[in-house]
C-alpha cells in the first residue's frame, strides 16, 4: 500500500470544476458578470440589482441575456463531451457535483473507490479538453 487513504480522491474535483467555471465567467464583461452573480448566485431580483447598480431593469435583463448566451456558447462542447461519457461515468460526475465523496459514490453505484477515481479522472480530462477547444 502506498500510504494513501482509500477514500482520498486522486482528483481535486471541486477545485477543478470551479476553476473551469471561473475561467468561463472571467470572459464576461465586468458589469455583465456582476449582474449574473447577483441574480444567479446571490438570488437578487432584477429590481434589486438595478437599484444597486443604478441602471434600469431592462439593462439588467440585457446583461443576463448576454451572460446566458455566453454560457450556452461555451458550454456546448462541454455538454457534448458529457453526453459522450458512458452512463456510469455520467452518474459518477453528477454525484460528485452534488457533493458526494468518492467512497459514497462507490457505495451508491456498487463500484470500487478506485473505479470511481479512474472514471472521474477520465471524465475530467474529456471535459477539460472540450472546454479548452
Amino acid at each position: 500500500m502506498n500510504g494513501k487513504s482509500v477514500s482520498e480522491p486522486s482528483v481535486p474535483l471541486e477545485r477543478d470544476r470551479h476553476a473551469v467555471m471561473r475561467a468561463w465567467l472571467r470572459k464576461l464583461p465586468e458589469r455583465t458578470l456582476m449582474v449574473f452573480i447577483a441574480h444567479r448566485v446571490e438570488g437578487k431580483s432584477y429590481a434589486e440589482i438595478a437599484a444597486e447598480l443604478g441602471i434600469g431593469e431592462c439593462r439588467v435583463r440585457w446583461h443576463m441575456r448576454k451572460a446566458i448566451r455566453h454560457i450556452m456558447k461555451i458550454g456546448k462542447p462541454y455538454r457534448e463531451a458529457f453526453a459522450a461519457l458512458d452512463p456510469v461515468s455520467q452518474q459518477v460526475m453528477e454525484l460528485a457535483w452534488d457533493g458526494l465523496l468518492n467512497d459514497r459514490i462507490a457505495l451508491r453505484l456498487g463500484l470500487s473507490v478506485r473505479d470511481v477515481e479512474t472514471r472521474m479522472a477520465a471524465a475530467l480530462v474529456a471535459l477539460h479538453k472540450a472546454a479548452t477547444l
Side-chain angles (χ1 to χ4, degrees):
M1 196 148 166
N2 61 9
K4 185 174 164 181
S5 167
V6 172
S7 64
E8 183 182 336
S10 63
V11 179
L13 175 67
E14 196 63 21
R15 185 177 60 218
D16 288 352
R17 184 169 65 111
H18 287 132
V20 168
M21 284 302 294
R22 279 193 306 276
W24 285 354
L25 293 174
R26 269 196 302 266
K27 295 179 181 178
L28 289 171
E30 184 176 349
R31 175 68 54 106
T32 302
L33 179 59
M34 289 171 58
V35 167
F36 179 79
I37 289 173
H39 183 63
R40 290 290 173 98
V41 176
E42 297 170 3
K44 295 179 181 176
S45 70
Y46 286 1
E48 290 172 313
I49 298 166
E52 285 179 12
L53 298 177
I55 60 177
E57 281 186 56
C58 62
R59 197 67 178 160
V60 172
R61 278 191 289 282
W62 181 86
H63 282 292
M64 282 301 297
R65 282 193 305 272
K66 184 175 183 174
I68 291 168
R69 278 193 309 270
H70 173 74
I71 290 167
M72 288 174 63
K73 178 182 169 188
I74 60 176
K76 183 178 179 190
Y78 189 82
R79 286 189 305 275
E80 289 170 352
F82 183 81
L85 296 174
D86 66 274
V88 176
S89 293
Q90 287 179 356
Q91 286 182 304
V92 166
M93 296 305 293
E94 287 171 347
L95 291 170
W97 288 331
D98 286 343
L100 266 68
L101 298 175
N102 291 355
D103 58 342
R104 296 293 179 187
I105 296 169
L107 185 63
R108 183 171 291 182
L109 299 179
L111 303 170
S112 70
V113 172
R114 189 69 177 144
D115 192 22
V116 168
E117 291 172 348
T118 301
R119 287 175 178 277
M120 195 178 298
L124 284 171
V125 168
L127 296 174
H128 177 72
K129 284 180 182 177
T132 56
L133 292 178

